[in-house]
PDB file of all heavy atoms in Angstrom:
ATOM      1  N   PHE A1094      -3.360   7.111 -13.682  1.00  0.00           N
ATOM      2  CA  PHE A1094      -4.090   5.929 -14.044  1.00  0.00           C
ATOM      3  C   PHE A1094      -5.305   6.289 -14.841  1.00  0.00           C
ATOM      4  O   PHE A1094      -5.593   5.647 -15.866  1.00  0.00           O
ATOM      5  CB  PHE A1094      -4.526   5.141 -12.771  1.00  0.00           C
ATOM      6  CG  PHE A1094      -5.413   3.983 -13.092  1.00  0.00           C
ATOM      7  CD1 PHE A1094      -4.912   2.828 -13.634  1.00  0.00           C
ATOM      8  CD2 PHE A1094      -6.803   4.073 -12.893  1.00  0.00           C
ATOM      9  CE1 PHE A1094      -5.745   1.763 -13.962  1.00  0.00           C
ATOM     10  CE2 PHE A1094      -7.624   3.033 -13.201  1.00  0.00           C
ATOM     11  CZ  PHE A1094      -7.115   1.868 -13.755  1.00  0.00           C
ATOM     12  N   SER A1095      -6.039   7.315 -14.443  1.00  0.00           N
ATOM     13  CA  SER A1095      -7.250   7.714 -15.195  1.00  0.00           C
ATOM     14  C   SER A1095      -6.895   8.112 -16.618  1.00  0.00           C
ATOM     15  O   SER A1095      -7.558   7.734 -17.587  1.00  0.00           O
ATOM     16  CB  SER A1095      -7.892   8.923 -14.460  1.00  0.00           C
ATOM     17  OG  SER A1095      -9.025   9.360 -15.172  1.00  0.00           O
ATOM     18  N   THR A1096      -5.811   8.839 -16.808  1.00  0.00           N
ATOM     19  CA  THR A1096      -5.328   9.221 -18.138  1.00  0.00           C
ATOM     20  C   THR A1096      -4.966   7.988 -18.958  1.00  0.00           C
ATOM     21  O   THR A1096      -5.292   7.850 -20.138  1.00  0.00           O
ATOM     22  CB  THR A1096      -4.111  10.191 -18.033  1.00  0.00           C
ATOM     23  OG1 THR A1096      -4.583  11.352 -17.309  1.00  0.00           O
ATOM     24  CG2 THR A1096      -3.624  10.586 -19.406  1.00  0.00           C
ATOM     25  N   TRP A1097      -4.250   7.035 -18.322  1.00  0.00           N
ATOM     26  CA  TRP A1097      -3.869   5.803 -19.004  1.00  0.00           C
ATOM     27  C   TRP A1097      -5.135   5.036 -19.420  1.00  0.00           C
ATOM     28  O   TRP A1097      -5.244   4.584 -20.545  1.00  0.00           O
ATOM     29  CB  TRP A1097      -2.993   4.932 -18.086  1.00  0.00           C
ATOM     30  CG  TRP A1097      -2.752   3.558 -18.652  1.00  0.00           C
ATOM     31  CD1 TRP A1097      -1.828   3.193 -19.531  1.00  0.00           C
ATOM     32  CD2 TRP A1097      -3.538   2.377 -18.381  1.00  0.00           C
ATOM     33  NE1 TRP A1097      -1.918   1.868 -19.854  1.00  0.00           N
ATOM     34  CE2 TRP A1097      -2.960   1.341 -19.148  1.00  0.00           C
ATOM     35  CE3 TRP A1097      -4.629   2.110 -17.547  1.00  0.00           C
ATOM     36  CZ2 TRP A1097      -3.475   0.039 -19.119  1.00  0.00           C
ATOM     37  CZ3 TRP A1097      -5.136   0.832 -17.525  1.00  0.00           C
ATOM     38  CH2 TRP A1097      -4.538  -0.212 -18.277  1.00  0.00           C
ATOM     39  N   LEU A1098      -6.079   4.905 -18.493  1.00  0.00           N
ATOM     40  CA  LEU A1098      -7.296   4.132 -18.727  1.00  0.00           C
ATOM     41  C   LEU A1098      -8.019   4.649 -19.976  1.00  0.00           C
ATOM     42  O   LEU A1098      -8.325   3.888 -20.858  1.00  0.00           O
ATOM     43  CB  LEU A1098      -8.173   4.166 -17.493  1.00  0.00           C
ATOM     44  CG  LEU A1098      -9.514   3.464 -17.631  1.00  0.00           C
ATOM     45  CD1 LEU A1098      -9.328   1.957 -17.669  1.00  0.00           C
ATOM     46  CD2 LEU A1098     -10.427   3.815 -16.410  1.00  0.00           C
ATOM     47  N   THR A1099      -8.286   5.960 -19.982  1.00  0.00           N
ATOM     48  CA  THR A1099      -9.081   6.504 -21.086  1.00  0.00           C
ATOM     49  C   THR A1099      -8.254   6.603 -22.361  1.00  0.00           C
ATOM     50  O   THR A1099      -8.795   6.697 -23.454  1.00  0.00           O
ATOM     51  CB  THR A1099      -9.646   7.891 -20.726  1.00  0.00           C
ATOM     52  OG1 THR A1099      -8.585   8.775 -20.333  1.00  0.00           O
ATOM     53  CG2 THR A1099     -10.654   7.740 -19.560  1.00  0.00           C
ATOM     54  N   GLY A1100      -6.910   6.590 -22.260  1.00  0.00           N
ATOM     55  CA  GLY A1100      -6.061   6.654 -23.393  1.00  0.00           C
ATOM     56  C   GLY A1100      -5.809   5.313 -24.073  1.00  0.00           C
ATOM     57  O   GLY A1100      -5.393   5.249 -25.222  1.00  0.00           O
ATOM     58  N   HIS A1101      -6.013   4.218 -23.321  1.00  0.00           N
ATOM     59  CA  HIS A1101      -5.693   2.901 -23.841  1.00  0.00           C
ATOM     60  C   HIS A1101      -6.851   1.983 -23.979  1.00  0.00           C
ATOM     61  O   HIS A1101      -6.771   0.905 -24.620  1.00  0.00           O
ATOM     62  CB  HIS A1101      -4.635   2.202 -22.971  1.00  0.00           C
ATOM     63  CG  HIS A1101      -3.285   2.845 -23.108  1.00  0.00           C
ATOM     64  ND1 HIS A1101      -2.886   3.954 -22.342  1.00  0.00           N
ATOM     65  CD2 HIS A1101      -2.245   2.554 -23.897  1.00  0.00           C
ATOM     66  CE1 HIS A1101      -1.681   4.264 -22.693  1.00  0.00           C
ATOM     67  NE2 HIS A1101      -1.250   3.459 -23.624  1.00  0.00           N
ATOM     68  N   ILE A1102      -7.982   2.276 -23.317  1.00  0.00           N
ATOM     69  CA  ILE A1102      -9.108   1.367 -23.326  1.00  0.00           C
ATOM     70  C   ILE A1102     -10.359   2.183 -23.655  1.00  0.00           C
ATOM     71  O   ILE A1102     -10.638   3.228 -23.022  1.00  0.00           O
ATOM     72  CB  ILE A1102      -9.293   0.708 -21.967  1.00  0.00           C
ATOM     73  CG1 ILE A1102      -7.988  -0.037 -21.574  1.00  0.00           C
ATOM     74  CG2 ILE A1102     -10.460  -0.273 -22.001  1.00  0.00           C
ATOM     75  CD1 ILE A1102      -7.947  -0.554 -20.160  1.00  0.00           C
ATOM     76  N   ALA A1103     -11.124   1.704 -24.615  1.00  0.00           N
ATOM     77  CA  ALA A1103     -12.373   2.387 -24.964  1.00  0.00           C
ATOM     78  C   ALA A1103     -13.436   1.971 -23.899  1.00  0.00           C
ATOM     79  O   ALA A1103     -13.915   0.873 -23.894  1.00  0.00           O
ATOM     80  CB  ALA A1103     -12.863   1.934 -26.325  1.00  0.00           C
ATOM     81  N   VAL A1104     -13.695   2.918 -23.006  1.00  0.00           N
ATOM     82  CA  VAL A1104     -14.660   2.656 -21.943  1.00  0.00           C
ATOM     83  C   VAL A1104     -15.467   3.906 -21.747  1.00  0.00           C
ATOM     84  O   VAL A1104     -14.973   5.022 -21.842  1.00  0.00           O
ATOM     85  CB  VAL A1104     -13.933   2.242 -20.622  1.00  0.00           C
ATOM     86  CG1 VAL A1104     -12.944   3.317 -20.164  1.00  0.00           C
ATOM     87  CG2 VAL A1104     -14.842   1.812 -19.536  1.00  0.00           C
ATOM     88  N   ASP A1105     -16.765   3.729 -21.500  1.00  0.00           N
ATOM     89  CA  ASP A1105     -17.626   4.916 -21.356  1.00  0.00           C
ATOM     90  C   ASP A1105     -17.289   5.682 -20.059  1.00  0.00           C
ATOM     91  O   ASP A1105     -16.653   5.136 -19.177  1.00  0.00           O
ATOM     92  CB  ASP A1105     -19.102   4.572 -21.432  1.00  0.00           C
ATOM     93  CG  ASP A1105     -19.596   3.759 -20.228  1.00  0.00           C
ATOM     94  OD1 ASP A1105     -19.586   4.267 -19.133  1.00  0.00           O
ATOM     95  OD2 ASP A1105     -19.956   2.560 -20.450  1.00  0.00           O
ATOM     96  N   ARG A1106     -17.756   6.903 -19.987  1.00  0.00           N
ATOM     97  CA  ARG A1106     -17.351   7.759 -18.877  1.00  0.00           C
ATOM     98  C   ARG A1106     -17.795   7.258 -17.514  1.00  0.00           C
ATOM     99  O   ARG A1106     -17.101   7.388 -16.532  1.00  0.00           O
ATOM    100  CB  ARG A1106     -17.895   9.191 -19.090  1.00  0.00           C
ATOM    101  CG  ARG A1106     -17.221   9.880 -20.311  1.00  0.00           C
ATOM    102  CD  ARG A1106     -17.915  11.116 -20.728  1.00  0.00           C
ATOM    103  NE  ARG A1106     -17.824  12.155 -19.693  1.00  0.00           N
ATOM    104  CZ  ARG A1106     -18.412  13.318 -19.776  1.00  0.00           C
ATOM    105  NH1 ARG A1106     -19.138  13.634 -20.807  1.00  0.00           N
ATOM    106  NH2 ARG A1106     -18.273  14.198 -18.801  1.00  0.00           N
ATOM    107  N   VAL A1107     -18.969   6.669 -17.477  1.00  0.00           N
ATOM    108  CA  VAL A1107     -19.466   6.153 -16.178  1.00  0.00           C
ATOM    109  C   VAL A1107     -18.612   4.984 -15.723  1.00  0.00           C
ATOM    110  O   VAL A1107     -18.183   4.920 -14.556  1.00  0.00           O
ATOM    111  CB  VAL A1107     -20.972   5.737 -16.316  1.00  0.00           C
ATOM    112  CG1 VAL A1107     -21.412   5.029 -15.049  1.00  0.00           C
ATOM    113  CG2 VAL A1107     -21.837   6.987 -16.571  1.00  0.00           C
ATOM    114  N   LYS A1108     -18.336   4.036 -16.625  1.00  0.00           N
ATOM    115  CA  LYS A1108     -17.502   2.884 -16.238  1.00  0.00           C
ATOM    116  C   LYS A1108     -16.100   3.332 -15.868  1.00  0.00           C
ATOM    117  O   LYS A1108     -15.566   2.828 -14.916  1.00  0.00           O
ATOM    118  CB  LYS A1108     -17.489   1.909 -17.426  1.00  0.00           C
ATOM    119  CG  LYS A1108     -16.773   0.604 -17.090  1.00  0.00           C
ATOM    120  CD  LYS A1108     -17.590  -0.206 -16.105  1.00  0.00           C
ATOM    121  CE  LYS A1108     -17.138  -1.644 -16.089  1.00  0.00           C
ATOM    122  NZ  LYS A1108     -18.028  -2.447 -15.239  1.00  0.00           N
ATOM    123  N   ALA A1109     -15.556   4.289 -16.618  1.00  0.00           N
ATOM    124  CA  ALA A1109     -14.205   4.826 -16.324  1.00  0.00           C
ATOM    125  C   ALA A1109     -14.237   5.421 -14.905  1.00  0.00           C
ATOM    126  O   ALA A1109     -13.291   5.191 -14.129  1.00  0.00           O
ATOM    127  CB  ALA A1109     -13.791   5.846 -17.320  1.00  0.00           C
ATOM    128  N   SER A1110     -15.239   6.194 -14.544  1.00  0.00           N
ATOM    129  CA  SER A1110     -15.352   6.793 -13.232  1.00  0.00           C
ATOM    130  C   SER A1110     -15.422   5.689 -12.140  1.00  0.00           C
ATOM    131  O   SER A1110     -14.800   5.822 -11.084  1.00  0.00           O
ATOM    132  CB  SER A1110     -16.577   7.693 -13.121  1.00  0.00           C
ATOM    133  OG  SER A1110     -16.393   8.820 -13.898  1.00  0.00           O
ATOM    134  N   ASP A1111     -16.224   4.663 -12.394  1.00  0.00           N
ATOM    135  CA  ASP A1111     -16.305   3.568 -11.444  1.00  0.00           C
ATOM    136  C   ASP A1111     -14.951   2.852 -11.232  1.00  0.00           C
ATOM    137  O   ASP A1111     -14.584   2.574 -10.107  1.00  0.00           O
ATOM    138  CB  ASP A1111     -17.337   2.504 -11.888  1.00  0.00           C
ATOM    139  CG  ASP A1111     -18.761   2.964 -11.831  1.00  0.00           C
ATOM    140  OD1 ASP A1111     -19.033   4.051 -11.213  1.00  0.00           O
ATOM    141  OD2 ASP A1111     -19.639   2.265 -12.387  1.00  0.00           O
ATOM    142  N   ILE A1112     -14.237   2.621 -12.327  1.00  0.00           N
ATOM    143  CA  ILE A1112     -12.922   1.990 -12.229  1.00  0.00           C
ATOM    144  C   ILE A1112     -11.967   2.830 -11.449  1.00  0.00           C
ATOM    145  O   ILE A1112     -11.297   2.365 -10.523  1.00  0.00           O
ATOM    146  CB  ILE A1112     -12.399   1.640 -13.622  1.00  0.00           C
ATOM    147  CG1 ILE A1112     -13.286   0.555 -14.274  1.00  0.00           C
ATOM    148  CG2 ILE A1112     -10.922   1.202 -13.550  1.00  0.00           C
ATOM    149  CD1 ILE A1112     -13.037   0.333 -15.763  1.00  0.00           C
ATOM    150  N   VAL A1113     -11.919   4.124 -11.782  1.00  0.00           N
ATOM    151  CA  VAL A1113     -10.983   5.031 -11.121  1.00  0.00           C
ATOM    152  C   VAL A1113     -11.355   5.171  -9.632  1.00  0.00           C
ATOM    153  O   VAL A1113     -10.456   5.220  -8.755  1.00  0.00           O
ATOM    154  CB  VAL A1113     -10.937   6.418 -11.800  1.00  0.00           C
ATOM    155  CG1 VAL A1113     -10.151   7.422 -11.003  1.00  0.00           C
ATOM    156  CG2 VAL A1113     -10.295   6.269 -13.207  1.00  0.00           C
TER     157      VAL A1113
END
Side-chain angles (χ1 to χ4, degrees):
F1094 173 77
S1095 178
T1096 300
W1097 171 84
L1098 178 69
T1099 58
H1101 288 86
I1102 304 169
V1104 59
D1105 68 65
R1106 292 169 66 185
V1107 172
K1108 186 70 162 185
S1110 291
D1111 288 350
I1112 293 168
V1113 171

